Amino acid sequence: MERRTFIKVAAASGAGIIASNAMGLSMDIKQTEQIVDNLIIGSGYGGAVAALRLTQSGKNVGMLEMGLDWEKDGGKYKPFSDLITPKNNSTWLKKTSQAPMMNIAHFNKRFTGVLARMDFENVKVYGGRGVGGGSLVNGGMAVQPKKDYFIEKFPELDAEKFWNTYFPLAKEELEVNEIPDDYYQESSYYKFARVGESEAHNAGFKTIRVPNVYSFDYMKKEEAGEVPKSALGREVIYGNNYGKQSLEKTYLKKALQTGLLTIQDLHRVDYFEQSETGYTVYVDVLDTAGLVVEKKTIQCKKLFLNAGSLGTTKLLLASKLKGNLKNLDATVGFGWGNNGNVMTGRNMVNTLFNRVENKSIEKNYSVGTGLNQSTIPVAGIDNWEDKAHSFFAEISPLPMGLEVYTALYLIINRVPIPGHITFDAALNDIKIHWEADNFEHTVENAKYFIKKMNKSNGGTAAGLLWKGGYGADICYHPLGGAVIGQSTDLFGRVKGYQNLYINDGALVPASIGVNPFLTITALAEYCMEEIIKMDF
């Protein structure tokens, strides 16, 4: 810009600011208003199901997502980072990467990256940021829960209908597939899982193979060198550039194809209140540095809260205070849990020394856990029927690109004593009340598991990865806070209010015993079927 033109623009801007200040307004942040019929907050599993079913029934839908639409403008903020060399697009508004371990990456600028970590006392909760929510950053394990445990958690729901209708529907829409056994047995990238299964059998544990939303047809082409590597290129928690059927490729893609869905990214909802025609939603529009660049007010007739367990619960509690939603049920904020998550591991796994010392070990595989490892888990240890130590353990990869003789496990447990969430007005944020009583049993189960594995196979507890060898403060699967049948009716309608709905993990009470997104998707399908049938 020429100097003369710049002075004119600057003078005009200055005059505008003076005038706006005199009227008590601010020109720094734009103020806008919108009107939509049906508004969905959050683009994760619950929100994606709601968007597809509403648009398929002919309804106009607006969707707000706090993170980026990673596909817009030709994917200008991609490619996603791998585990070893994360860029600032890996991390939500931090100058250091926030992975569960190995946070050695530092960034010059904060950025609205794909993986968020929310730190509370005694627990660190991970979440996806972007259109597709948690589907962008998870390992894709589409695990159906134990039927008995589903009935225990949801005694008022028809389990048979879920097994016959909603779980099969969710699997079909999510494009769930299973790794072919011949590929699993032959691929060097799954040596870590085969060793994990073999050693679990030596210790007397039962193992299972787990379906996934990652395309194993694509993975086989990766290994053959025919396509760019993603799962075999150490991509997962910071997003997969290829191969994974995350929600923007399944539910959301179908919803957008109807022409009735509009998604607005970088929209962070502060709170909402009732209006004469429905709800008024107050939104901060962000730039990629996390700064508020616009204040938006959105009027809607029907409001669907699908911001995840923490996000949805926070919106309800904040709106109770700021938006005068005094009729919310007293159970809002309760029934929260981390799905019994605890990370642990073993060092010196499958070494030559252990092979010699432990004669009973199966000798089908060479020493080590694998120089190269796929980031997509496909095997688990099922100890759920052991009443004294009931757990499911995901055999997790550690794709460092070198032989580390280390096995990782994400252990999922019951949560007999749930925690709860409150809203702190001074902080303008939630607090999670999660004490030792809520998670001590998860550490005891992990210690039992590691001790039994080491006794049968050799190895030591992975004390270098987590203090004491057990990461009990890690939460990948936040659940609860607005439990179905308590804070809502049996179809996700929020008690005390009309046309206010929840379809996400906030409905699930504290734990489901396995990776939860398949259950959340099936639950959302069940709720939306009833809502569309009866409320429109």
Side-chain angles (χ1 to χ4, degrees), residues 91 95 152 165 200 236 284 435 495 503:
T91 304
K95 285 193 173 183
E152 179 182 326
T165 302
V236 64
D284 292 334
E435 312 301 335
K495 288 182 178 178
N503 308 111

Side-chain angles (χ1 to χ4, degrees), residues 289-327:
L291 300 176
V292 178
V293 295
E294 182 181 344
K295 292 279 188 178
K296 186 176 288 188
T297 303
I298 303 178
Q299 303 286 343
C300 65
K301 295 177 182 177
K302 287 181 166 59
L303 181 57
F304 295 80
L305 306 180
N306 292 287
S309 167
L310 294 193
T312 291
T313 305
K314 179 179 178 178
L315 283 174
L316 289 169
L317 295 174
S319 300
K320 181 177 182 179
L321 178 67
K322 300 179 184 182
N324 199 35
L325 264 65
K326 303 300 184 185
N327 292 334

Side-chain angles (χ1 to χ4, degrees), residues 302-425:
K302 287 181 166 59
L303 181 57
F304 295 80
L305 306 180
N306 292 287
S309 167
L310 294 193
T312 291
T313 305
K314 179 179 178 178
L315 283 174
L316 289 169
L317 295 174
S319 300
K320 181 177 182 179
L321 178 67
K322 300 179 184 182
N324 199 35
L325 264 65
K326 303 300 184 185
N327 292 334
L328 290 175
D329 194 85
T331 59
V332 171
F334 288 84
W336 188 85
N338 71 341
N339 202 26
N341 287 175
V342 56
M343 282 293 292
T344 189
R346 298 166 48 237
N347 296 326
M348 302 306 292
V349 172
N350 198 39
T351 64
L352 184 61
F353 174 80
N354 291 338
R355 287 283 177 95
V356 172
E357 290 295 307
N358 296 273
K359 305 296 184 182
S360 64
I361 289 182
E362 297 177 16
K363 303 183 183 298
N364 297 335
Y365 306 111
S366 59
V367 169
T369 52
L371 180 69
N372 297 309
Q373 298 185 14
S374 170
T375 58
I376 299 300
V378 296
I381 297 164
D382 180 2
N383 202 54
W384 201 254
E385 306 307 322
D386 181 349
K387 293 183 179 180
H389 300 285
S390 181
F391 63 82
F392 168 78
E394 173 187 311
I395 300 174
S396 303
L398 185 60
M400 300 294 294
L402 66 161
E403 182 58 74
V404 291
Y405 299 97
T406 298
L408 288 187
Y409 309 93
L410 171 61
I411 301 182
I412 298 172
N413 301 267
R414 295 172 178 267
V415 179
I417 305 174
H420 69 281
I421 298 173
T422 57
F423 187 80
D424 188 317

